[in-house]
């Protein structure tokens, strides 16, 4: 066994690579497409857009999601916007600038060719979404409006109020439902993928559990796409939806798909702080708030006075102080770490001491309450609903939280994993954001993969590899083995009959991950986590309690399976974080920082993608490296001062 | 605070259900309603009992997965708020709350508080889209949209498809849901080519799914967590009637 990494980046100048690749790829003629079947797991921006587009081309598509409807995928929760290098504002934007900003924002740990293509395709995405009827914000003349986002000096973000993700997802969902009506896509809601079927080294299907009846089913196809989102819920508390999980990509990893950069996880600086042990998730407050809000903490540690009683000279506007040129709009990783530092110094605010103020009083004085209400009204309401405090009168309290995972399954330029026939799209793959993602780039990547990349690259795979020439039957031993494996895991979970709920273990896991593999990491802590995690895993398999049985709707059983996978993934993240002995982007190793606490990269030794290969339970996975070459954007020290 | 819950428990679609009483003795005012149910469920699990099943996902009020009836009101007493965003500070010690699933023929109960809303997906499949295959779009700015139209379209497009409108309506009508999608697309220039056909097909599907008709009671608008207005139903009627007449005229 074992795999070799070949990114298959086309040769030639970067601006011609995607055209060249598209020309060189093989095509499936329209009449032959109906002879092929494709499975798409996940129905968010990447999966929904991919399934719809493949259906439009004439392939037979089966699309799976764990929610009751594809319209509920977590892409829906994205607030701020989607980037595109349209240069509609005439402010000097270009494909190259979006490419440059994204590579720099990712702290030089992404693949140049992929990012360039992403920037190119961004133009088509906006056109497509407008044509679908996505109600983007408009100027009075009827043209599209833009705003700016962190890490960029141009206005290239398109938005639909604070619900951009929702509107883009509904656009993809409607295109998908159109294909469902035409019989090109068969939709399987309330189905969870529990294993990948690999036959003769190729991905040929999946095993799912029908979440209503508990029935295990094998679905076979000529290619499989995983678009199952990120694994931020490994921290238990995150801004992800409760159902977001790593199971699909984790079980594919165990079947031979390489897992790239698992330690690259983004912590978003502006979330509502934790209020108690019962807390089930964290809520993001859009980054756009930092355009007008000022972030501060008291200068004195342990200052418990209400914020309005703390005089101006006793406040520390630390982002403005440390990063005078970017100020409150410093990138996410930088802002998050700064918040953690001031809280660690005992200057945090709120009941738990884990919070900083985001204060709008200056902006309200300067612009008037009306303007602030127009800009952020819905976010202020949401804040008040959750905290019971009125942010027009008292400053918001915010704290960083797990939000997005840049790591994911390794894919080549054509979005194919190390298992031929297994494609990975959207947040589930590792491809475009390096060590840190810029705001408004996740929606862009999901739709790029789904609408404009997979439809070509899957055709190329089908036309050149001809998986249909080796038909796989449901009686094949590989199919039986996968079904048995899934049934076995389920049986074990039900048989433990311990004393704690799956959530109990998930919370314990979250505490370990947040403490040792969260916003900042160090060797001793990671080693400690690597001791604690196997212990917790062992306890889980001895003490978890799952009432009921498999042959019924059993949400505890669903949860238990996901937590079991998160427990294993946590170990791989810590291992990767330990191995990556440098600081870059969101991965901050305390051993590698400047005197002022900024990240110090080690390009000499770590300018690579770390790709892990599963070697069996309890065995150390094998590390492979894909070297990163920077021909167009020379790595420099990222400075936002 | 102590909260007493009477929750609809139903094993599956084919079994009869009943209300079961539970007590949650230590509710914190900062908890969301669903977090209170999490606490209850964790206790039930540890006692080896079947926890209460309910749909939920984003817990930010945007995915539309959650929703049940609290004391007769879909999503509970707070206006413009989904049940995942409803916090316990709006209740008081000793409150008795009755939780039931959406009740509508077109939304059969799957288990406990969870219902099958796939009828909504089928209504969208019938015509709730603009037929523009990937790749065939003109430049984004080639289609100017007056700001006020874009804003109105966005007001309608905010629907999260939770189904509270159906649950609140004495006729179990889905006209707010269907009207919102028809309005969203009919308000935009991109939606014009299929406008008539869309109205006819979506209304036909809505009727086929056994949703009732609208009798202008406006309970749907009152409970909608996204403030979708019944003016969308009027727009739907206008499109439907004119499309029907024009179709007959040929």
């Amino acid at each position: 066994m074992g795999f070799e990494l070949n990114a298959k980046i086309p040769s030639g100048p970067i601006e011609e690579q995607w055209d060249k690749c598209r020309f060189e790829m093989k095509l499936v003629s329209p009449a032959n497409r109906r002879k092929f079947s494709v499975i798409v797991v996940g129905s968010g921006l990447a999966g929904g857009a991919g399934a719809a587009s493949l259906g439009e081309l004439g392939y037979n598509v089966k699309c799976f999601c764990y929610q009751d409807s594809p319209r509920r995928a977590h892409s829906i929760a994205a607030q701020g916007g989607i980037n595109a290098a349209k240069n509609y504002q005439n402010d000097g934007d270009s494909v190259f600038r979006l490419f440059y900003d994204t590579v720099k924002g990712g702290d030089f740990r992404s693949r140049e060719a992929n990012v360039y293509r992403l920037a190119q395709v961004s133009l088509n995405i906006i056109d497509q979404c407008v044509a679908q009827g996505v109600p983007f914000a408009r100027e009075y003349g009827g043209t599209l409006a833009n705003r700016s986002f962190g890490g960029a000096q141009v206005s290239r973000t398109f938005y639909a109020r604070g619900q951009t993700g929702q509107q883009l997802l509904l656009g993809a969902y409607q295109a998908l439902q159109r294909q469902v009506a035409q019989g090109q896509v068969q939709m399987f809601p309330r189905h969870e993928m529990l294993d990948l079927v690999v036959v003769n080294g190729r991905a040929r299907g999946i095993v799912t559990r029908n979440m209503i009846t508990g029935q295990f089913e094998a679905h076979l196809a000529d290619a499989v796409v995983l678009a199952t989102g990120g694994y931020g819920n490994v921290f238990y508390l995150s801004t992800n939806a409760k159902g977001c999980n790593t199971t699909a990509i984790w079980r594919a990893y165990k079947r031979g798909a390489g897992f790239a950069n698992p330690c690259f996880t983004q912590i978003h600086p502006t979330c509502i702080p934790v209020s108690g042990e019962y807390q089930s998730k964290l809520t993001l407050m859009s980054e756009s708030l930092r355009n007008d809000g000022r972030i501060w903490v008291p200068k004195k540690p342990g200052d418990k006075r209400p914020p309005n009683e703390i005089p101006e000279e006793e406040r520390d506007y630390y982002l403005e102080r440390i990063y005078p040129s970017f100020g409150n709009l410093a990138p996410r990783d930088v802002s998050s770490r700064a918040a953690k530092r001031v809280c660690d110094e005992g200057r945090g605010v709120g009941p738990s001491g884990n919070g900083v103020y985001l204060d709008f009083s200056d902006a309200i004085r300067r612009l008037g309450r009306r303007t602030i209400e127009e800009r952020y009204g819905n976010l202020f309401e949401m804040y008040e609903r959750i905290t019971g405090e009125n942010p027009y009168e008292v400053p918001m309290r915010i704290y960083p939280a797990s939000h997005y995972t840049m790591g994911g399954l390794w894919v080549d330029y054509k979005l194919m994993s190390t298992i031929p026939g297994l494609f990975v799209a959207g947040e589930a793959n590792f491809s475009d954001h390096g060590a840190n993602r810029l705001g408004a780039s996740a929606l862009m990547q999901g739709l790029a993969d789904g609408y404009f990349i997979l439809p070509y690259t899957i055709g190329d795979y089908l036309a050149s590899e001809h998986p249909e020439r080796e038909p796989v039957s449901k009686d094949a031993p590989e199919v039986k083995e996968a079904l048995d494996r899934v049934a076995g895991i389920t049986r074990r979970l039900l048989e433990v009959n311990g004393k704690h709920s799956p959530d109990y273990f998930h919370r314990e896991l979250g505490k370990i991950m947040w403490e040792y593999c969260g916003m900042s990491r160090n060797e001793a802590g990671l080693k400690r986590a690597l001791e604690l995690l196997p212990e917790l895993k062992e306890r889980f398999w001895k003490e978890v309690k799952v009432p009921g049985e498999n042959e019924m709707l059993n949400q505890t059983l669903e949860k238990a399976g996901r937590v079991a996978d998160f427990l294993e993934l946590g170990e791989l993240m810590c291992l990767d974080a330990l191995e990556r002995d440098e600081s870059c982007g969101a991965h901050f190793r305390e051993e590698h920082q400047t005197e002022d606490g900024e990240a110090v990269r080690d390009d000499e030794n770590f300018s690579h993608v770390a790709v892990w290969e599963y070697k069996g339970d309890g065995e150390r996975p094998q590390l492979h490296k894909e070297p990163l070459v920077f021909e167009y954007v020379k790595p420099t020290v990222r400075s936002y001062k | 605070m102590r909260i007493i819950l009477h929750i609809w428990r139903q094993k599956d679609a084919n079994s009869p259900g009943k209300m079961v009483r539970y007590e949650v003795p230590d509710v914190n005012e900062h908890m969301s309603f669903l977090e209170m149910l999490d606490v209850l469920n964790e206790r039930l699990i540890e006692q080896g009992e079947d926890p209460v099943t309910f749909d939920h996902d984003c817990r930010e009020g945007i995915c539309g997965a959650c929703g049940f009836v609290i004391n007769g009101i879909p999503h509970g007493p707070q206006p413009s708020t989904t049940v995942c965003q409803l916090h316990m500070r709006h209740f008081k010690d000793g409150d008795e709350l009755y939780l039931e699933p959406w009740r509508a023929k077109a939304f059969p109960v799957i288990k406990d508080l969870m219902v099958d809303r796939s009828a909504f997906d089928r209504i969208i499949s019938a015509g709730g889209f603009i037929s523009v295959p990937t790749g065939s779009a003109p430049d984004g700015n080639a289609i100017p949209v007056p700001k006020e139209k874009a804003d109105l379209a966005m007001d309608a497009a905010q629907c999260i498809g939770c189904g509270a409108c159906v649950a609140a309506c004495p006729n179990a009508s889905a006209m707010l849901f269907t009207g919102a999608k028809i309005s969203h697309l009919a308000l935009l220039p991109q939606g014009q080519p299929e406008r008539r056909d869309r109205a006819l097909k979506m209304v036909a599907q809505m009727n086929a799914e056994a949703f009732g008709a609208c009798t202008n009671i406006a309970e749907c608008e009152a409970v909608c967590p996204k403030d979708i207005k019944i003016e969308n139903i009027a727009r739907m009627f206008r499109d439907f009637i004119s499309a029907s007449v024009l179709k007959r005229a040929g």
Side-chain angles (χ1 to χ4, degrees):
Chain A
M1 277 281 289
F3 49 66
E4 268 177 40
L5 301 174
N6 178 358
K8 299 197 188 119
I9 299 166
S11 57
I14 199 162
E15 57 274 16
E16 292 169 18
Q17 284 171 346
W18 180 227
D19 273 354
K20 183 167 181 284
C21 177
R22 276 196 296 178
F23 179 68
E24 287 172 356
M25 280 193 283
K26 290 200 175 168
L27 301 173
V28 181
S29 77
N32 281 339
R33 288 182 203 141
R34 64 170 174 270
K35 297 177 189 161
F36 291 98
S37 57
V38 181
I39 282 172
V40 179
V41 188
S43 65
L45 288 185
S53 303
L54 289 163
E56 286 163 5
L57 286 171
Y59 296 107
N60 297 302
V61 181
K62 283 182 171 182
C63 181
F64 297 80
C65 67
Y66 71 77
Q67 299 90 343
D68 70 321
S69 162
R71 67 176 293 152
R72 309 209 196 279
H74 193 56
S75 308
I76 207 160
Q79 298 169 352
I82 176 166
N83 286 330
K86 282 285 196 186
N87 193 32
Y88 282 158
Q89 304 307 321
N90 198 30
D91 55 1
D93 201 6
S94 63
V95 166
F96 198 91
R97 189 178 294 281
L98 175 54
F99 157 70
Y100 174 90
D101 286 349
T102 307
V103 171
K104 179 189 170 199
D107 214 0
F108 308 95
R109 290 294 174 263
S110 48
R111 203 187 274 153
E112 277 191 331
N114 283 53
V115 179
Y116 194 88
R117 174 179 64 187
L118 176 67
Q120 284 176 304
V121 166
S122 72
L123 307 174
N124 306 88
I125 294 172
I126 296 305
D127 300 342
Q128 185 65 33
C129 296
V130 167
Q132 287 172 345
V134 169
F136 284 118
R138 299 273 169 170
E139 303 295 348
Y140 283 98
T143 53
L144 290 154
N146 290 114
R147 60 182 168 204
S148 36
F149 245 67
Q153 287 165 314
V154 292
S155 287
R156 62 159 76 100
T157 305
F158 295 79
Y159 62 100
R161 295 196 189 140
Q163 293 114 292
T164 317
Q166 180 199 25
Q167 294 309 315
L168 297 175
L169 182 67
L170 292 181
Y173 158 73
Q174 288 163 201
L176 180 64
Q177 289 305 120
R178 180 170 157 255
Q179 293 308 306
V180 171
Q182 295 185 0
Q184 284 302 128
V185 177
Q186 206 185 343
M187 197 60 225
F188 293 82
R190 296 199 198 272
H191 277 66
E192 183 163 25
M193 169 182 159
L194 294 181
D195 209 350
L196 181 74
V197 176
V198 181
V199 182
N200 287 338
R202 287 188 189 144
R204 294 306 300 265
I206 60 172
V207 171
T208 59
R209 180 173 178 274
N210 178 325
M211 293 158 75
I212 296 178
T213 64
Q215 199 188 347
F216 299 119
E217 297 156 0
H219 297 270
L220 302 175
D222 297 309
V224 176
V225 179
L226 300 187
T228 52
Y231 50 88
N233 270 346
V234 71
F235 293 100
Y236 184 69
L237 288 179
S238 87
T239 65
N240 284 184
K242 290 295 283 176
C244 294
N245 67 80
T246 190
T247 291
I249 59 171
W250 189 251
R251 297 196 182 173
Y253 162 72
K254 287 184 146 186
R255 291 281 180 191
F259 204 124
N261 298 332
C263 79
F264 287 172
T265 56
Q266 182 170 72
I267 310 294
H268 196 289
T270 53
C271 302
I272 300 177
V274 178
S275 69
E277 178 78 3
Y278 52 79
Q279 185 114 12
S280 61
K281 76 154 273 161
L282 295 170
T283 304
L284 179 81
M285 289 279 104
S286 169
E287 180 162 302
S288 60
L289 290 168
R290 292 196 278 145
N291 276 301
D292 286 304
R294 296 181 72 196
I295 293 178
W296 63 276
V297 289
K299 281 187 177 162
K300 212 167 55 209
D303 191 339
K304 288 286 166 208
R305 287 176 293 176
N308 55 358
E309 287 173 23
I310 300 178
E312 200 60 28
E313 61 276 10
E314 291 179 43
R315 300 177 176 189
D316 179 13
Y317 296 89
Y318 58 88
L319 283 180
E320 296 171 24
R321 173 171 58 81
I322 308 171
Y323 308 102
S325 63
F326 276 71
N328 294 298
L329 271 177
R332 292 177 175 178
D333 52 340
V334 173
S335 313
S336 292
R337 278 196 294 275
K340 181 179 191 300
R341 256 192 324 263
V342 295
C343 292
D344 288 349
E345 289 162 17
R347 299 196 285 146
V349 301
S352 64
N354 280 328
V356 300
Y357 290 125
L358 177 60
D359 195 336
F360 290 87
S361 51
D362 276 357
I364 292 172
R365 256 196 307 276
R366 193 175 70 242
L367 305 162
R369 185 179 157 138
R370 270 280 298 278
T371 309
I372 294 299
E373 213 172 308
E374 273 172 22
R375 285 185 192 169
Y376 311 111
N378 60 339
L379 295 169
F380 277 40
E381 280 167 31
M382 184 146 114
Y383 181 85
E384 187 168 0
R385 260 200 298 277
I386 293 171
T387 62
E389 290 175 1
N390 177 354
Y392 294 103
E393 279 151 25
V394 283
M396 282 186 182
R397 284 176 294 113
I398 53 160
Y399 197 66
S402 158
H403 174 58
Y404 186 88
T405 52
M406 284 74 69
L409 293 186
W410 183 87
V411 288
D412 63 17
Y413 186 71
K414 294 177 180 173
L415 303 185
M416 192 163 82
S417 70
T418 54
I419 301 176
L422 178 69
F423 293 79
V424 191
E427 191 179 349
N429 73 27
F430 88 105
S431 70
D432 297 349
H433 307 295
N436 177 53
R437 180 175 66 75
L438 290 180
S441 285
L443 301 181
M444 172 172 69
Q445 187 223 332
L447 289 180
D449 290 359
Y451 284 134
F452 297 109
I453 300 170
L454 285 178
Y456 310 127
T457 60
I458 288 180
D460 174 56
Y461 169 78
L462 297 173
S464 40
E465 296 291 321
H466 289 290
E468 84 286 3
R469 290 180 189 164
E470 285 178 37
V472 178
S473 103
K474 287 208 175 176
D475 300 322
E478 291 88 348
V479 177
K480 283 219 159 85
E481 191 268 333
L483 280 163
D484 287 347
R485 187 190 285 197
V486 167
I489 295 173
T490 305
R491 198 170 46 240
R492 273 176 70 204
L493 288 168
L494 288 162
E495 278 171 1
V496 177
N497 199 19
K499 54 187 176 193
H500 295 299
S501 70
D503 269 330
Y504 166 87
F505 290 99
H506 197 178
R507 273 194 297 269
E508 293 298 306
L509 168 67
K511 283 176 199 160
I512 296 172
M513 294 307 291
W514 185 251
E515 174 72 23
Y516 299 112
C517 198
M519 257 182 291
S520 66
R521 298 127 182 216
N522 61 54
E523 186 184 339
L526 290 164
K527 287 186 168 158
R528 176 84 186 116
L530 286 168
E531 290 165 10
L532 292 171
L533 291 169
E535 287 168 24
L536 185 64
K537 183 178 156 188
E538 206 184 315
R539 275 188 62 205
F540 173 85
W541 285 103
K542 280 186 188 151
E543 296 176 17
V544 74
K545 183 159 190 103
V546 182
E549 56 210 69
N550 177 57
E551 289 73 28
M552 61 187 262
L553 199 158
N554 190 337
Q555 292 178 316
T556 321
L557 178 62
E558 294 161 16
K559 185 68 201 265
R562 295 169 192 167
V563 173
D565 292 335
F566 275 131
L567 282 163
E568 296 181 4
L569 167 71
E571 266 189 78
L572 187 69
M573 287 169 63
C574 292
L575 195 58
D576 186 47
L578 187 62
E579 197 70 28
R580 190 171 280 279
D581 194 13
E582 65 159 350
S583 295
C584 58
H587 170 65
F588 189 75
R589 280 285 299 266
E590 288 162 9
E591 300 92 330
H592 303 286
Q593 53 179 315
T594 62
E595 273 179 25
D596 339 324
E598 301 300 330
V600 176
R601 271 197 337 261
D602 177 357
D603 291 337
E604 188 93 352
N605 295 303
F606 292 97
S607 187
H608 62 248
V609 183
V611 189
W612 297 89
E613 181 184 0
Y614 179 70
K615 286 287 176 189
D617 264 341
E619 302 294 318
R620 188 187 157 90
Q622 187 184 339
L623 176 62
H624 301 255
K625 294 173 184 174
E626 180 201 332
L628 292 169
V629 183
F630 292 91
E631 286 181 64
Y632 294 87
V633 187
K634 286 292 160 216
T636 51
V637 175
R638 257 165 104 223
S639 170
Y640 294 95
K641 287 199 171 176
Chain B
M1 60 180 133
R2 189 178 66 111
I3 300 284
I4 296 146
L5 298 168
H6 301 267
I7 305 178
W8 181 261
R9 301 304 308 262
Q10 181 175 339
K11 193 164 158 269
D12 53 43
N14 303 317
S15 307
K18 61 170 196 275
M19 301 300 284
V20 177
R21 184 181 186 279
Y22 298 95
E23 245 187 78
V24 190
D26 44 1
V27 176
N28 179 307
E29 59 166 359
H30 294 299
M31 281 178 181
S32 72
F33 204 93
L34 298 188
E35 284 169 348
M36 175 185 64
L37 290 184
D38 290 342
V39 169
L40 170 68
N41 274 345
E42 197 149 353
R43 263 169 227 164
L44 292 176
I45 292 168
E46 289 179 359
Q47 291 161 16
E49 290 175 47
D50 193 25
V52 180
T53 297
F54 56 92
D55 259 322
H56 66 101
D57 206 18
C58 78
R59 298 206 175 189
E60 293 182 19
I62 192 74
C63 76
C66 71
F68 44 79
V69 176
I70 304 172
N71 286 358
I73 306 173
H75 288 301
Q78 281 299 106
S80 317
T81 304
T82 54
V83 73
C84 66
Q85 293 278 287
L86 174 65
H87 281 69
M88 296 312 294
R89 66 181 74 92
H90 302 295
F91 298 90
K92 57 181 193 304
D93 187 42
D95 272 357
E96 281 201 42
L97 306 173
Y98 292 79
L99 314 189
E100 293 174 83
W102 295 161
R103 303 273 188 203
K105 194 176 170 193
F107 286 167
V109 173
I110 295 174
K111 187 178 178 182
D112 298 342
L113 303 175
M114 181 189 275
V115 299
D116 178 354
R117 289 169 290 194
S118 53
F120 274 8
D121 290 326
R122 291 188 291 273
I123 293 175
I124 299 297
S125 273
F129 47 76
I130 290 170
S131 300
V132 49
T134 304
S136 57
D139 184 83
N141 265 345
I143 315 166
V145 180
K147 185 176 185 306
E148 53 278 23
K149 290 274 186 189
D151 286 346
L152 276 174
M154 182 64 199
D155 288 343
Q158 293 192 79
C159 168
I160 58 174
C162 64
C165 45
V166 174
C169 177
N171 310 323
S173 168
M175 288 198 178
L176 193 66
F177 170 81
T178 312
K181 187 46 67 190
I182 288 176
S183 282
H184 158 211
L185 299 175
L187 282 158
L188 296 170
Q190 304 93 300
Q192 298 314 308
E194 295 164 292
R195 183 170 173 178
R196 285 181 202 152
D197 203 36
R198 178 182 305 120
L200 292 173
K201 285 181 173 164
M202 289 181 75
V203 169
Q205 187 63 37
M206 184 178 76
N207 293 335
E209 298 286 352
F211 290 108
C214 175
T215 47
N216 289 320
I217 297 166
E219 284 289 330
C220 54
E221 181 181 292
V223 300
C224 176
K226 294 292 147 184
D227 300 324
I228 309 288
K229 300 281 175 252
I230 52 168
E231 66 188 35
N232 292 298
I233 299 181
R235 281 198 204 98
M236 174 178 77
F237 280 144
R238 192 180 57 199
D239 276 16
F240 176 74
I241 291 165
S242 68
S244 306
V245 170
L246 287 165
K247 194 181 171 196
R248 208 169 296 166

